[in-house]
Amino acid sequence: MKILVAGGTGYIGSHKVVELMQQGYEVVIVDNLCNSYAGVVDSIAQITGKRPDFLELDLADADATECFFNHYTGINAAIHFAAHKAVGESVAKPLMYYRNNLYSLINLIKNMEKQGAGNLVFSSSCTVYGQPDELPVSEQSLIKPAWSPYGNTKQVSEEIIHDVCIATKLKAIALRYFNPIGAHASALIGEYPIGVPNNLMPFITQTAIGKREVLSVFGDDYPTPDGTAIRDYIHVVDLAKAHVVAVKRMLSNQCKSNFEVFNLGTGSGYSVLEVLRSFEKVSGIKINFKIVARRAGDIEQVWADTSFANRELGWKAALGLDEMTHSAWEWEKALRNIELKTQ
Ligand code: NAD
Ligand code: WQD
């Protein structure tokens, strides 16, 4: 089976490629490298012992995408990770986000449909729920107006996929990720944020290694046990394994409808301070942090009801918070060695 992984040199995509290849799938990666680097393909080859095909391609470019599909036939399913993902940047540059995230999706499904390769797994996000009225949040929970252009691209993308699934033979699964953190156990692939990280985990590891002076904890006046905000952090390897299950489900015609949606989280929420304490425990390093005001646009707490995914996919996140923070730290240290070698 040949699987197209769009955005496959990125953080989550690269872990997914490894899991697919280890299960014997043939993989072709397309990525325009706007938020990753081609060396990730070498790392994947080192982990799996086999080199995936890789083509540099901007999926938002309709002609280039059509050209790719004209030459690359026999794709059984596509997994679509290729998108911009920084919430703050999307507020500052909405058109850049709508253009990239929506054009790339449209170009991908248009060409898949033409080829008859009608199986799509789409990277959605818990951001579609905003601050839910009830916790945990299930797939049936209300989708509220998006808080950012990025969030809106995920909502609109799901609507586009839904409509195309009704109108054509496309089959799709949207996976709504909660907060993916951590890295592969080999420490050969992981998250590689360009510039100052927005997300908590890379900011913690960069503070620990000395790239950042101090971690700002955004708010300790939330109505949570320790006052800091709560999220459902999930190990990126658990997330990648869920994608393999989703692909198998589609290819073996086990989907219950043409468009299915699943939450991917652990079902447990952790506060910012709990993540910090876990990191300090596994690394033995004290993090220099200060409490500052809440970050604009942050919700107070969210975690997933994972019962539908557990039951239907037969998948459950297996790795705990300490394994997440430990692997993130091993990756940060490995990155330092790579950076020292290339200086
Ligand atoms: P990432 O930036 O590491 O990976 C995305 C990859 O897509 C990058 O390699 C980038 O170069 C590529 N890309 C972007 N636009 C492209 C285009 N037009 N053509 C070809 N390649 C393009 O991000 P990630 O964290 O791995 O996220 C993957 C997907 O998961 C995204 O769709 C993101 O919105 C979604 N998601 C991420 C999170 C998270 O916290 N990381 C949470 C929920 C959902
Ligand atoms: C987690 C917690 C921060 C940084 C984002 C997107 C969401 C999804 C996942 C893609 C929050 C706090 C953070 C820091 C801190 N992505 N924090 N100091 O905001 O839950 O979700 O990534 O779909 O759409 O919004 O993740 O890692 O930024 O923050 O105190 O320096 O850590 O306030 O409570 P978030 P995050």
Side-chain angles (χ1 to χ4, degrees):
M1 286 287 179
K2 197 190 278 183
I3 314 292
L4 173 68
V5 183
T9 48
Y11 171 44
I12 305 172
S14 56
H15 289 81
K16 163 72 193 181
V17 169
V18 165
E19 293 299 322
L20 276 174
M21 291 179 69
Q22 287 177 337
Q23 297 266 331
Y25 289 92
E26 196 183 323
V27 171
V28 53
I29 297 174
V30 293
D31 200 301
N32 68 353
L33 304 177
C34 68
N35 199 35
S36 55
Y37 59 104
V40 171
V41 181
D42 300 329
S43 303
I44 292 170
Q46 212 176 322
I47 297 169
T48 61
K50 216 178 150 208
R51 203 174 177 79
D53 282 357
F54 167 67
L55 278 105
E56 196 172 330
L57 170 70
D58 181 359
L59 284 165
D61 179 333
D63 292 342
T65 306
E66 190 175 358
C67 186
F68 165 80
F69 274 93
N70 286 340
H71 287 92
Y72 228 100
T73 51
I75 291 163
N76 300 97
I79 305 162
H80 185 37
F81 295 99
H84 293 324
K85 62 164 182 175
V87 175
E89 186 183 50
S90 80
V91 175
K93 299 176 184 172
L95 287 181
M96 174 177 146
Y97 272 67
Y98 287 118
R99 181 189 173 277
N100 192 59
N101 293 5
L102 298 182
Y103 282 14
S104 62
L105 173 71
I106 291 167
N107 290 336
L108 181 62
I109 31 186
K110 193 175 107 192
N111 284 284
M112 283 170 65
E113 204 205 323
K114 241 175 29 194
Q115 276 221 344
N119 295 302
L120 174 76
V121 177
F122 175 69
S123 296
S124 190
S125 166
C126 67
T127 195
V128 300
Y129 299 117
Q131 176 61 67
D133 298 327
E134 280 176 15
L135 288 166
V137 63
S138 86
E139 292 83 352
Q140 308 310 322
S141 298
L142 204 65
I143 303 291
K144 295 192 177 160
W147 285 28
S148 69
Y150 166 73
N152 205 24
T153 68
K154 291 298 174 194
Q155 292 189 357
V156 174
S157 293
E158 285 197 13
E159 286 168 8
I160 292 172
I161 296 167
H162 170 267
D163 293 347
V164 177
C165 284
I166 291 173
T168 72
K169 288 188 180 143
L170 181 75
K171 277 191 292 174
I173 295 180
L175 299 174
R176 293 180 181 156
Y177 315 153
F178 280 64
N179 286 56
I181 59 171
H184 193 261
S186 64
L188 287 166
I189 52 172
E191 192 170 5
Y192 194 65
I194 292 168
V196 181
N198 293 304
N199 295 117
L200 178 64
M201 197 66 242
F203 210 106
I204 290 177
T205 56
Q206 290 197 5
T207 308
I209 209 135
K211 285 182 187 165
R212 312 274 153 218
E213 213 172 297
V214 56
L215 167 77
S216 294
V217 172
F218 298 133
D220 68 348
D221 56 351
Y222 286 104
T224 60
D226 66 20
T228 63
I230 291 178
R231 299 287 183 271
D232 186 339
Y233 297 94
I234 174 166
H235 199 299
V236 67
V237 171
D238 273 332
L239 202 67
K241 288 183 195 292
H243 286 74
V244 180
V245 176
V247 167
K248 277 189 186 154
R249 181 179 173 90
M250 297 190 100
L251 294 178
S252 56
N253 290 319
Q254 284 170 19
C255 295
K256 302 254 165 81
S257 67
N258 280 1
F259 181 42
E260 294 185 317
V261 177
F262 295 101
N263 280 347
L264 294 186
T266 63
S268 301
Y270 290 102
S271 73
V272 175
L273 289 181
E274 283 175 313
V275 177
L276 199 60
R277 299 299 174 221
S278 162
F279 177 83
E280 290 184 335
K281 185 177 75 183
V282 301
S283 67
I285 293 175
K286 276 255 163 272
I287 293 290
N288 183 23
F289 77 92
K290 61 178 182 198
I291 306 286
V292 301
R294 293 180 181 193
R295 182 171 66 177
D298 268 355
I299 55 168
E300 57 184 55
Q301 46 188 330
V302 65
W303 63 91
D305 178 341
T306 58
S307 51
F308 185 57
N310 298 159
R311 194 175 63 243
E312 278 298 316
L313 297 177
W315 164 91
K316 202 173 180 359
L319 301 166
L321 183 61
D322 288 350
E323 283 151 314
M324 300 180 212
T325 54
H326 177 260
S327 63
W329 180 227
E330 293 304 310
W331 164 244
E332 185 69 63
K333 287 187 289 182
L335 254 185
R336 175 177 56 188
N337 294 334
I338 295 167
E339 283 162 0
L340 283 175
K341 266 191 237 159
T342 53
Q343 262 172 17

